[in-house]
Amino acid sequence: MAGDTQVIISGAGPVGLVVALDLARRGVRSTVVETRKAGEPPSVKCNHVAARTMEAFRRLGFADLVRDAGLPADYPNDCVYRTSVTQGHEITRIPIPARAERRTDFTGPDTWWPTPEPPHRINQIYLEPLIFAEAAANPLIAIRNETELVEATQDADGVTVTVRDLPSGATETLAARYLVGCDGGRSRVRSIIGAKLSGDAVVQRVQSTYIRAPRLLEMMRGRPGWMNLSLNPRRSGNTVAIDGRETWLIHNYLYEHEEDFDAIDRDASIRAILGVGDDFDYEIISKEDWIGRRLVADRFRDRRIFICGDSAHLWVPYAGFGMNAGIADAMNLTWLLAATLDGWGGERLLDAYEAERLPITEQVSHFAMNHALSAIAHRRAVPEAVELDGPEGEAARTALGRQVYALNVQQYCCGGLNFGYFYPDSHIIAYDGEAQPGYSMAGFEQSTVPGCRTPHFWRRNGNSAYDDFGRDYTLLRFDPAIDVLPLERAAAAVGMPLTVIDVAADERTGVYRHNLLLSRPDLHVGWRGDALPGDVAGLVDQLRGAVR
């Protein structure tokens, strides 16, 4: 396997595994190197799989497997704000359907979204093994655990990678056409290509503790939540349900002046956040102190070497878009690599990865940081009266609850970051002069303007339209009288796969205003029109990054 590897991937976290799986879906062989042992669990970090990521898992064939894992099917996914987890008053609640109700409950703020795959709440300790098993079973993917990437060099034909077997210390070289670094915040691959991180080095200090507390769930007043956020004048934090029974991840948000993690009493902070006394027993499973940052690399590529995910960008985990942004990187890069390896991608196709993903990453990093700063300001301004019984306390909680809901529904139901972002300045997109609609963290408008996400619709056969799209380019034809054979011939002449789908009148949604639309492999609009352009060969060359 190693001898005919086309792409080497450093890092077997969710991002690296998705790169390998989507390349394999496109017939590309890869080798993944990972320092951890096979089956070694990841840290308890990511708790949220965004809708766009679930759409990617659907294309990869295991969305249902992911959705069947995580919290118990009937465990509420609500985000609940209280003065403390067990003893406090409820301040506000953001309702999110439990897994069992995800496709039938349409009352929450994220239940109307135009997608076949709503978001899913699952911790990475459950998610990553599922993706790893899919990759390990794929004959086009070789995974080498306990292996460290030491160095990489490249020339006009490919990359040569030096790896070290950690148990033995032995080194060897691997050769491939391309290298993709998905090796995290301390990325060796980022260092190799000379990319530099810049931005905001400190946004928030957090003391995180993963605990086992079998009694905690029964001690909660009212309906529990997936996120249980404590707001009080003494110590604010977040208690995340991990297994929905007895394991919890507690984030203690430090004050600005609390720069020394070791000076903060971890146990006292946990008890203040939970609202429990010294007689409450819990077990620490693991703990981690970390700093939320907003850092973006100044380049995502050096010729044949690319970086994705935390290797390319780090930011505070608001809106849950660390891993999810990395998987968006992956799904953008894989089709570009596969098209180039298959021979139909032009010499400028790979330039699109950095041109498209770096600007959008910079935008999203500011969304996350600005939201974090607003949340920090709210936590620092909790009024003393919020914990009082009676009218004064009720009034304080009502006022604070309105503010907290308005701010945080944006991050927990972040439709804009899922469906609103677009690529405004890409050389492989055929723009037509109409501006893409703006978006916010939560707000978005579906659009067929080139560069936007191809809007979703359901088909007569019961499928999501995405289920019927081709693996590569898909032409949607809304008027069957239009002859699209010239475009099909132009694509075939250069080997560019093209699937044509005729959309019936009762399948067409109002957002589709043109008779024809070309959707890219990553479900972004590449071109639209009411008739084919005069130079169909020129359009095909632009879409595949060929220089004319």
Side-chain angles (χ1 to χ4, degrees), residues 80-93 216 219-224 227-239 268-277 382 386-387 397 400:
V80 187
Y81 289 79
R82 296 185 178 96
T83 51
S84 72
V85 173
T86 63
Q87 300 299 317
H89 298 274
E90 184 167 314
I91 297 170
T92 192
R93 177 183 294 260
L216 184 58
M219 294 172 64
M220 292 182 176
R221 295 180 177 179
R223 180 179 167 93
M227 293 280 180
N228 302 274
L229 300 109
S230 302
L231 288 176
N232 62 62
R234 294 164 286 106
R235 181 61 69 180
S236 294
N238 187 2
T239 302
S269 299
I270 288 172
R271 294 183 188 279
I273 290 166
L274 297 180
V276 298
V382 176
V386 76
E387 294 185 285
R397 288 187 291 276
L400 180 61

Side-chain angles (χ1 to χ4, degrees), residues 5 8 12 27 32 34 45 71 84 121 126 132 139 163 168 182 218 226 333 356 366 408 428 465 480:
T5 287
I8 295 171
V32 184
E34 167 59 50
K45 287 186 177 178
L71 293 170
S84 72
R121 271 71 188 182
Y126 302 121
F132 185 92
V163 298
S168 68
C182 307
E218 66 185 47
W226 159 60
L333 176 60
E356 293 181 354
H366 282 285
N408 289 285
I428 64 167

Side-chain angles (χ1 to χ4, degrees), residues 303-446:
R303 293 166 290 166
R304 292 181 173 271
I305 303 177
F306 302 80
I307 53 176
C308 289
D310 287 354
S311 302
H313 41 73
L314 294 162
W315 54 62
V316 283
Y318 282 77
F321 257 71
M323 178 198 74
N324 292 290
I327 288 177
D329 294 341
M331 298 302 284
N332 178 281
L333 176 60
T334 49
W335 78 269
L336 303 172
L337 285 172
T340 303
L341 289 165
D342 286 346
W344 62 267
E347 60 185 270
R348 292 198 60 212
L349 185 63
L350 290 173
D351 294 342
Y353 174 64
E354 182 176 286
E356 293 181 354
R357 291 304 301 169
L358 200 159
I360 195 64
T361 296
E362 184 72 20
Q363 287 182 33
V364 172
S365 74
H366 282 285
F367 277 132
M369 184 189 71
N370 292 339
H371 190 279
L373 294 175
S374 297
I376 290 168
H378 273 191
R379 291 197 295 268
R380 300 300 176 253
V382 176
E384 295 286 342
V386 76
E387 294 185 285
L388 297 178
D389 294 323
E392 183 181 359
E394 187 63 35
R397 288 187 291 276
T398 298
L400 180 61
R402 289 195 194 101
Q403 298 171 8
V404 167
Y405 184 96
L407 174 66
N408 289 285
V409 73
Q410 299 177 60
Q411 67 152 323
Y412 292 118
C413 303
C414 49
L417 296 191
N418 277 273
F419 310 117
Y421 75 82
F422 53 85
Y423 300 131
D425 189 23
S426 174
H427 59 281
I428 64 167
I429 293 174
Y431 299 103
D432 57 14
E434 183 176 347
Q436 299 90 352
Y439 69 100
S440 63
M441 181 179 283
F444 67 96
E445 176 186 339
Q446 289 202 94

Side-chain angles (χ1 to χ4, degrees), residues 19-268:
V19 170
L21 283 163
D22 199 54
L23 286 174
R25 183 170 71 102
R26 300 174 183 283
V28 176
R29 302 177 301 278
S30 67
T31 295
V32 184
V33 296
E34 167 59 50
T35 57
R36 288 176 293 161
K37 297 178 180 179
E40 182 178 336
S43 61
V44 190
K45 287 186 177 178
C46 179
N47 288 285
H48 170 67
V49 182
R52 286 291 289 272
T53 301
M54 288 301 296
E55 290 177 358
F57 291 168
R58 186 184 183 103
R59 297 203 293 284
L60 292 171
F62 56 86
D64 288 344
L65 187 67
V66 171
R67 200 172 291 282
D68 286 342
L71 293 170
D74 60 350
Y75 190 91
N77 283 192
D78 296 354
C79 302
V80 187
Y81 289 79
R82 296 185 178 96
T83 51
S84 72
V85 173
T86 63
Q87 300 299 317
H89 298 274
E90 184 167 314
I91 297 170
T92 192
R93 177 183 294 260
I94 300 169
I96 299 173
R99 174 157 56 94
E101 305 162 342
R102 185 71 251 197
R103 298 187 185 280
T104 57
D105 183 348
F106 301 106
T107 59
D110 70 348
T111 58
W112 61 273
W113 287 351
T115 176
E117 293 291 346
H120 180 54
R121 271 71 188 182
I122 179 175
N123 189 271
Q124 190 169 333
I125 62 172
Y126 302 121
L127 173 66
E128 188 176 301
L130 297 176
I131 309 176
F132 185 92
E134 292 289 320
N138 194 300
L140 296 182
I141 302 171
I143 303 177
R144 300 185 55 165
N145 287 99
E146 297 183 87
T147 303
E148 175 188 25
L149 185 146
V150 178
E151 191 55 80
T153 59
Q154 60 181 312
D155 57 28
D157 298 317
V159 293
T160 301
V161 175
T162 302
V163 298
R164 178 183 292 116
D165 178 75
L166 294 178
S168 68
T171 61
E172 65 176 301
T173 58
L174 305 176
R177 296 283 300 280
Y178 298 98
L179 168 64
V180 182
C182 307
D183 47 349
R186 296 181 175 88
S187 171
R188 174 62 182 143
V189 178
R190 183 179 66 236
S191 175
I192 288 170
I193 69 172
K196 304 297 183 185
L197 294 173
S198 63
D200 299 275
V202 179
V203 177
Q204 169 79 75
R205 290 181 175 85
V206 182
Q207 196 180 59
S208 293
T209 313
Y210 181 34
I211 71 169
R212 178 174 289 106
R215 292 176 50 219
L216 184 58
L217 185 59
E218 66 185 47
M219 294 172 64
M220 292 182 176
R221 295 180 177 179
R223 180 179 167 93
W226 159 60
M227 293 280 180
N228 302 274
L229 300 109
S230 302
L231 288 176
N232 62 62
R234 294 164 286 106
R235 181 61 69 180
S236 294
N238 187 2
T239 302
V240 186
I242 301 301
D243 68 356
R245 293 180 293 272
E246 62 177 17
T247 55
W248 311 84
L249 179 62
I250 302 176
H251 297 310
N252 173 28
Y253 300 120
L254 304 191
Y255 289 88
E256 287 85 346
H257 65 275
E258 295 177 327
E259 298 183 0
D260 182 358
F261 287 105
D262 293 334
I264 308 304
D265 189 324
R266 185 181 297 268
D267 176 70

